[in-house]
Amino acid sequence: MQGEGRITEIPRQLWPVGERPLDRFESDERRLSVLARFDADALDGDPELAQITRFAAKLCDTPIAAVSMVEEERQRFLASEGLEADETPRSTSFCERTMRGGEILEVLDARTDPTFHNYTLVTGKDHLRFYAGAPLVSSEGAPLGALCVIDTKPRTAPLTQFQREGLTVLAQAVKRRLYAHRQERVDQANVKATRDRLQFVLDSLPDIAWSAAPGPSFDFYNAQFERTTGRPPPVTIEEWRTFIHPEDFEETSSKFGEAIANAQPFEDEWRLLQADGSYRYVLSRALPSSEDPATARWFGTVTDIDDSYRTSQERELLAGELAHRIKNIFSVITGLVTLHARGDATLKLFADTLTDNIRALSRAQEFALRIDTHSEDELKGLLNVLMAPYGIPGESAVSITGDVIAIGHRAATPLALVFHELATNSAKYGALSVEQGRVAIEVARSGDDVWIAWQEHNGPKTNAPTQDGFGSRLMHMAIEHQLGGTIALDWRSEGLQTRITIPKDRLAQ
């Protein structure tokens, strides 16, 4: 095993025919450690090895053939033909000698062989006389056993060259089968190690993770599910009813069912039953493995958002109360200005202008509070709010188009003053002062800047003022000093054309 749990890979090439095993495997401890990796128990009676032994017996015209593996105290036969015994002692093993060499070992009459004549297989009831074996050597060069053919009758002539070549080929086939089995074990062990690591990672997550087969049939959950709920996980959507708040189940199960039917991503918020009997808000997400609803597997997570959900609710409540109080303050100021200007025509003109600006600031303030609470950062959203008194929504004299642009709450107030001034002037003297007049507002990115174009059409002919008034100075101050941008006003015969450029980072503040 390697440090990360991966089984060491084995050499891919079979040991060359005719080469002796490596000397370092003369040590039985090393040799047996390699032998153990072949899992001989799983190969016992292997059909492919049995077929090879039957053919070997026919090829060499012997009643007996076997595939042996030489263990510490015995030699065992993984497959055999014409042999009743499953094993014999290693001390009298012919294959023990065969596996140490590189060539086929052949004994014509064991009774007269100086090495084997005293073996019990020869002198006993087995009456072993003829033996021929091809060595089986592992890819690393460790001797394992042999493919052997045996006869109880002695022979006067050795195997033919054809038979020797055939036995060698069959021995190679045995080695390939042993190699494939061993590699399969390595692959299975690596898959298990990978699966175990993945399971450990998933069980360490604070979120619930799950998967489901088509149907869906929920077939996997990480440990977090039972840690959270204290119960075994559900298998079907209906079984989820036990874990989802009764007020939430029908709606969220309907949404998930629609996602399954269309193989589309799913996301929803609902309340999950906890082990202590309470409910907590969670964010549930799921993705299909393919676009085919019939075959798609599903993978999902359930994330606890209860704390942030309740904090968000509290912030919304606080923001609503704050917006209400600020709106009341603006109303009080407007009332005071109107009250003090009553009866004085000069002051009333000033008061009307001031109260209009205050109302624009009030609308901008409401929008800024929504940004803080809901992250609604769309510049066109602010412009829609500011232009609402001039026909938005509905059949509008003002159209707003362009890119989605981020805007922060600090930029909302100066922009409110600028566009209130443009709209007020247009309503008094420009395109919005006549029925057929139109105003087009376009927003777009340009590198690190954002530009806003105000274009009036079909209005009365306009002329540039001879001197800058309060409104013009207000717009320049708001755009140039507060937002670090530029504003250009072009008084054309068809209507006022205004272009405002603001750095993107200043707009997002």
Side-chain angles (χ1 to χ4, degrees):
M1 301 288 285
Q2 293 181 346
E4 295 183 357
R6 184 174 180 81
I7 302 296
T8 304
E9 298 292 340
I10 61 178
R12 294 187 176 275
Q13 297 296 324
L14 297 181
W15 191 252
V17 174
E19 287 195 18
R20 293 174 53 83
L22 295 179
D23 291 342
R24 64 190 182 94
F25 290 110
E26 286 292 328
S27 162
D28 218 32
E29 182 179 355
R30 287 185 175 180
R31 188 188 72 82
L32 291 174
S33 69
V34 174
L35 182 66
R37 297 171 194 166
F38 286 88
D39 187 21
D41 290 338
L43 281 168
D44 196 10
D46 180 77
E48 188 173 340
L49 294 180
Q51 187 177 19
I52 292 173
T53 56
R54 284 195 297 271
F55 188 75
K58 290 181 180 179
L59 175 69
C60 298
D61 193 24
T62 60
I64 300 170
V67 173
S68 69
M69 277 195 166
V70 180
E71 298 178 348
E72 185 174 13
E73 300 291 339
R74 64 175 181 170
Q75 73 170 1
R76 64 184 298 177
F77 304 116
L78 302 183
S80 63
E81 176 70 15
L83 188 65
E84 294 183 1
D86 294 328
E87 61 181 70
T88 59
R90 179 178 176 179
S91 60
T92 60
S93 168
F94 281 63
C95 295
E96 159 79 17
R97 296 300 183 98
T98 301
M99 71 180 187
R100 302 290 180 180
E103 302 287 347
I104 291 177
L105 174 65
E106 189 172 7
V107 179
L108 298 181
D109 187 350
R111 292 175 302 180
T112 62
D113 189 277
T115 302
F116 302 110
H117 70 279
N118 287 328
Y119 277 23
T120 55
L121 293 174
V122 177
T123 60
K125 62 182 180 63
D126 294 309
H127 301 294
L128 189 154
R129 298 294 181 261
F130 172 78
Y131 172 92
L136 302 176
V137 182
S138 77
S139 301
E140 299 94 338
L144 305 175
L147 168 63
C148 62
V149 291
I150 301 170
D151 201 341
T152 57
K153 298 177 181 179
R155 294 194 177 185
T156 57
L159 295 175
T160 67
Q161 184 62 31
F162 175 77
Q163 290 172 321
R164 291 178 67 88
E165 289 180 3
L167 192 62
T168 300
V169 169
L170 292 175
Q172 289 291 92
V174 170
K175 288 193 283 186
R176 277 191 290 272
R177 176 66 188 116
L178 297 178
Y179 175 90
H181 175 70
R182 180 179 169 188
Q183 185 62 55
E184 183 180 0
R185 290 190 68 232
V186 170
D187 293 341
Q188 290 175 348
N190 286 332
V191 169
K192 183 179 184 302
T194 300
R195 185 170 58 244
D196 290 345
R197 287 196 298 272
L198 178 59
Q199 184 71 54
F200 177 79
V201 171
L202 291 173
D203 287 343
S204 301
L205 293 176
D207 297 349
I208 294 171
W210 58 265
S211 70
S217 175
F218 296 86
D219 54 12
F220 169 81
Y221 293 87
N222 66 344
Q224 187 63 24
F225 186 93
E226 292 198 35
R227 285 199 294 262
T228 300
T229 66
R231 302 183 187 185
V235 176
T236 66
I237 292 179
E238 182 58 31
E239 290 178 15
W240 270 95
R241 186 185 292 274
T242 306
F243 300 92
I244 299 176
H245 195 283
E247 296 177 3
D248 301 336
F249 177 77
E250 297 298 339
E251 182 177 355
T252 195
S253 62
S254 177
K255 288 181 181 179
F256 187 45
E258 184 177 350
I260 291 172
N262 297 290
Q264 295 294 323
F266 165 80
E267 182 174 315
D268 196 20
E269 294 178 6
W270 40 268
R271 286 164 286 182
L272 176 67
L273 181 65
Q274 306 294 299
D276 62 4
S278 64
Y279 286 91
R280 289 179 66 84
Y281 277 95
V282 296
L283 174 62
S284 178
R285 293 191 177 103
L287 290 173
S289 61
S290 72
E291 297 180 356
D292 182 2
T295 60
R297 285 189 60 85
W298 285 83
F299 301 90
T301 57
V302 178
T303 305
D304 190 303
I305 59 167
D306 194 77
D307 293 339
S308 60
Y309 183 89
R310 297 185 188 280
T311 299
S312 176
Q313 284 186 318
E314 292 172 0
R315 288 186 64 186
E316 286 189 27
L317 181 63
L318 179 62
E321 178 64 22
L322 181 60
H324 177 72
R325 290 174 181 259
I326 291 176
K327 189 173 183 178
N328 286 343
I329 291 173
F330 279 128
S331 296
V332 170
I333 294 173
T334 302
L336 289 173
V337 171
T338 303
L339 178 64
H340 285 288
R342 185 177 299 168
D344 188 318
T346 304
L347 287 179
K348 185 177 184 307
L349 181 62
F350 171 75
D352 288 345
T353 301
L354 183 58
T355 53
D356 283 346
N357 278 294
I358 291 172
R359 291 190 183 98
L361 290 174
S362 178
R363 292 195 297 272
Q365 185 64 36
E366 290 181 23
F367 184 85
L369 286 172
R370 290 205 303 273
I371 292 175
D372 282 346
T373 306
H374 300 293
S375 297
E376 294 178 358
D377 54 357
E378 171 42 323
L379 173 57
K380 289 184 292 185
L382 172 62
L383 295 175
N384 273 284
V385 170
L386 297 175
M387 295 297 106
Y390 305 95
I392 295 177
E395 186 177 351
S396 175
V398 181
S399 65
I400 301 172
T401 60
D403 297 334
V404 175
I405 306 295
I407 180 173
H409 64 278
R410 292 184 181 179
T413 299
L415 283 176
L417 291 173
V418 170
F419 281 92
H420 169 72
E421 186 66 27
L422 289 171
T424 300
N425 287 336
S426 182
K428 289 181 179 179
Y429 315 112
L432 296 180
S433 67
V434 295
E435 184 176 352
Q436 71 274 15
R438 295 291 183 268
V439 173
I441 304 175
E442 183 181 3
V443 298
R445 295 185 185 87
S446 179
D448 293 332
D449 295 329
V450 172
W451 57 262
I452 310 170
W454 169 287
Q455 299 179 347
E456 298 187 25
H457 305 282
N458 302 331
K461 184 177 180 179
T462 58
N463 297 307
T466 56
Q467 60 181 9
D468 287 344
F470 173 76
S472 179
R473 293 196 300 272
L474 177 65
M475 288 192 293
H476 280 280
M477 179 185 68
I479 298 299
E480 295 170 0
H481 296 282
Q482 292 184 260
L483 296 176
T486 60
I487 179 171
L489 288 78
D490 185 4
W491 301 87
R492 300 182 182 180
S493 59
E494 65 270 21
L496 175 64
Q497 311 288 302
T498 303
R499 184 181 177 92
I500 298 170
T501 302
I502 303 170
K504 185 169 57 178
D505 57 345
R506 294 288 294 272
L507 191 62
Q509 293 180 355

